Amino acid sequence: PGYSIEDSPIVGDRETTTRSELVSRGLDPKLVANLPAVDGDEDDSDDAEARQGDDHSDIKVGLTKSMDQVLVYQVYVRLDMDDDGIAELYKITLGESDEDAGEDSKSGHVILDMEPVDEAPYSEVVAEHEAHQFEGHSAAEDVMPIMKIKTALLREGLDNTYWQNKPQPSFEAGAFTEAGLDALFNPAFGKPIETKKGKKLSEVLDWNHVPFMADKSFQIMEYLDNEIKERTGITDQSGGLDPESFQNMTATSATLFSESGIAQIAMVIRSLSRGGIKRAFRGLLRLVISHADRARTLRLTKEWVEYDPRQWNVDMDCKVNIGLGAGSRERDLTVLQLIYGLQKELLLNLGAENPIVKPDQVYNTLEKIVETAGFPSADPYFTKPDPEEVKKALSKGEGPSDAEIKAKTTMQIEQVKAQARTAVEKAQMEADIAVRDAEMRNQAQLEVMKADHARELTVLKEEIGLLKHRESLQLEREKAGLVAPALNPFNQGDLFNAA
């Protein structure tokens, strides 16, 4: 079996109803009469008994047999009844078999009806899906275990408080008179507690003080409240806050703060709408089409409209409109007003015959604004536009003459030419500026290179002059016979000449 109704080989439900109701559905009265009576679906839980109190509605008062409650099963199962190798879908109505049910009884059940059908009329509406599970779970299943814990903690906390208010007495046996014991166990303001002669009350009476632990329970309950918020997504922010919570807070922060608990709720809404609710309404559409025998007339948006479901396509798709409500009313109004402003701007610039916004769409926006503001209908404030009246209003307006059209066209052409000239001149100016900038950068680099070469040449000349001066001093010393000539591997005079 799969994880959906379509993949399951058998689906069904159990119902407790009367014999009269089954016979009115066309079932065999003899088979229905043989079904054993049941007491009905009774809730025997302690919680139900505590809530309902003494309920005597199920007492037998001599009802006729036709009003007996019986248990029946309605299942949709795939069977190969014609032995063609293909399993077809059948709807089978079963009842609990009695000892005298006869040959129709099989495996403790009796078949009341059996017919081929096209599909099983069930839809799984799951709030929160679970991986590889059909049922999923709901917000109540998330909260119920915690609520049971909170109930137990609250009761124990109250019991602990009762022990504080009425402590348990501990007294010496035989120290009180009969009137003293009555005053001790049935206290009253001003009522004396009489002790026997020679007995002091402080010596013969004491109180058993139970430690106060209720405050610990309240701390745990606060933790459980936060756990509920984490599981369900229903928080103080999503339910509305005290105005004092928004003190010293910007508008953006307040908006984010108020919408922080909406994400999980929106997820549950999408899961419900796009899952089981969509399938349910598609099934309802098929039922309406398959059982229609004539055209019908109904009142739709305060107008009587005739429709014939027999002409509809049974395989039409169904789209669920989740609608507004995922955020605050103020945010929805702000968004709708923004949409209305855009629609109005498009109508003013492009006219009523533009392909983007029509008068009907503007009316829809105004209607949503009124509904979001909390009013039941937009009819007292706006009138839905009639297509014929819109056409007449548009036809009354005189169109522009040929001269106006020519003048407007010429002006538009001149504007395009002026824009083109401006663009060309701007591009030329930008190009000239770029060329001048490049020339200036090249000139500056050339000047820097010339200055660098001049400095290098000056330094080189100074070094050569210094070498020549040293050489001349060396020659003069050699001539004077003061210093022996140096053994040079090359002639320095040739080096000077080469330089």
Side-chain angles (χ1 to χ4, degrees), residues 38-214:
V38 297
D39 293 335
D41 293 333
E42 296 183 356
D43 192 350
D44 297 331
S45 64
D46 296 337
D47 186 67
E49 183 178 354
R51 293 177 183 272
Q52 295 173 1
D54 296 333
D55 185 7
H56 306 286
S57 61
D58 58 346
I59 296 179
K60 302 298 182 181
V61 291
L63 298 177
T64 61
K65 187 177 181 179
S66 62
M67 296 304 296
D68 288 343
Q69 296 281 334
V70 295
L71 181 63
V72 294
Y73 300 88
Q74 192 174 76
V75 297
Y76 293 80
V77 59
R78 295 191 178 276
L79 301 172
D80 185 13
M81 301 297 294
D82 51 4
D83 294 331
D84 61 351
I86 300 176
E88 292 83 11
L89 186 64
Y90 285 86
K91 171 189 173 183
I92 303 177
T93 304
L94 304 172
E96 297 285 349
S97 64
D98 203 354
E99 296 179 355
D100 301 329
E103 297 181 355
D104 293 331
S105 177
K106 295 181 180 180
S107 303
H109 296 86
V110 57
I111 298 177
L112 302 176
D113 185 44
M114 182 176 180
E115 61 177 337
V117 293
D118 296 330
E119 64 175 351
Y122 296 101
S123 176
E124 64 277 14
V125 181
V126 182
E128 300 177 16
H129 289 277
E130 294 181 0
H132 310 294
Q133 295 292 329
F134 172 75
E135 295 87 356
H137 60 279
S138 64
E141 293 174 321
D142 295 335
V143 174
M144 286 174 62
I146 298 179
M147 297 305 298
K148 291 181 179 179
I149 298 174
K150 289 186 62 178
T151 301
L153 289 174
L154 179 59
R155 288 174 178 172
E156 292 176 355
L158 292 175
D159 292 340
N160 186 251
T161 304
Y162 297 154
W163 279 107
Q164 306 301 315
N165 296 335
K166 292 185 178 180
Q168 186 178 15
S170 175
F171 60 91
E172 180 181 345
F176 296 88
T177 63
E178 184 177 351
L181 290 176
D182 181 69
L184 182 64
F185 289 100
N186 299 295
F189 290 106
K191 189 175 184 180
I193 301 176
E194 184 180 358
T195 61
K196 292 184 178 180
K197 187 176 181 180
K199 300 292 185 179
K200 293 183 178 181
L201 185 63
S202 59
E203 297 176 352
V204 298
L205 178 64
D206 195 8
W207 300 94
N208 180 28
H209 295 283
V210 177
F212 182 70
M213 303 298 294

Side-chain angles (χ1 to χ4, degrees), residues 235-247 249-262:
T235 62
D236 296 337
Q237 293 84 358
S238 60
L241 287 177
D242 185 15
E244 295 181 357
S245 301
F246 293 104
Q247 296 293 331
M249 186 180 296
T250 62
T252 303
S253 300
T255 302
L256 295 175
F257 191 57
S258 62
E259 295 181 0
S260 60
I262 298 175

Side-chain angles (χ1 to χ4, degrees), residues 7 67 102 176 188-189 195 248 274 313 429 450 459 488 492:
D7 300 332
M67 296 304 296
F176 296 88
F189 290 106
T195 61
N248 300 324
R274 297 175 183 175
N313 181 12
M429 185 182 299
K450 288 181 178 180
V459 172
N488 296 326
Q492 292 182 353

